[in-house]
Amino acid sequence: MKQVIVLIFIASLFSGFPKTIHASDSPVVSSGSAILIDANTGEVLFEKKATEEMYPASLTKIATAIYAIEKGNLNDIVTIGSNPRKIEGTRVYLEEGERVSLRKLIQGLIINSGNDAGVAIAEHMDGSIKGYRQHFDIKPTLIHFLPYKKPISFTLRVPA
């Protein structure tokens, strides 16, 4: 009986199982853009519209929140400027001139995915979106989560 089971097992190894597995040339990605980078070499393994400006993605929002928590004072009161009202996408509907704590802006950014809160945080932390962009090109806060240690650039799409 033991020999029959071993024989069936060996036969099944040669008959129904593929010997090699081939990955498709291009994975099916439903998002608008994507990039896959080898963490050890930095080689780009796959990209789809990786250099196009996009609305702030969740990782950018997380990076912005980490940056604000590490570098800012959560009790700061931020006066909302005109730029957050101009941002498209998901919002928490901040009003120009409204005064909100940095803590509440971070909550609006992370819990409600508020793009306008992200713009308000960036302007509060670095004076402008341009200053914020320059800072993130130099030191990506996401390094806490990613094994990939090369600089990462984030782009915020803000109307002029």
Side-chain angles (χ1 to χ4, degrees), residues 19-92:
K19 293 175 182 67
T20 27
I21 299 172
H22 299 280
S24 66
D25 291 333
S26 183
V28 176
V29 178
S30 62
S31 67
S33 68
I35 188 164
L36 176 63
I37 302 170
D38 183 302
N40 295 319
T41 67
E43 177 187 2
V44 175
L45 303 174
F46 172 79
E47 65 180 286
K48 174 183 174 184
K49 299 181 183 179
T51 58
E52 285 189 24
E53 285 192 7
M54 306 293 285
Y55 291 110
S58 296
L59 287 177
T60 305
K61 291 175 183 175
I62 291 169
T64 300
I66 292 169
Y67 172 59
I69 291 166
E70 287 183 345
K71 304 294 182 188
N73 177 348
L74 297 179
N75 296 319
D76 277 358
I77 300 300
V78 178
T79 302
I80 306 303
S82 62
N83 284 330
R85 295 248 335 137
K86 298 175 188 172
I87 194 75
E88 295 178 17
T90 310
R91 304 180 59 222
V92 292

Side-chain angles (χ1 to χ4, degrees), residues 68-79 99-107 121 124-125:
I69 291 166
E70 287 183 345
K71 304 294 182 188
N73 177 348
L74 297 179
N75 296 319
D76 277 358
I77 300 300
V78 178
T79 302
R99 296 173 45 84
V100 183
S101 72
L102 182 57
R103 178 185 314 273
K104 289 286 186 189
L105 287 174
I106 293 168
Q107 290 171 341
I121 292 168
H124 174 70
M125 298 298 295

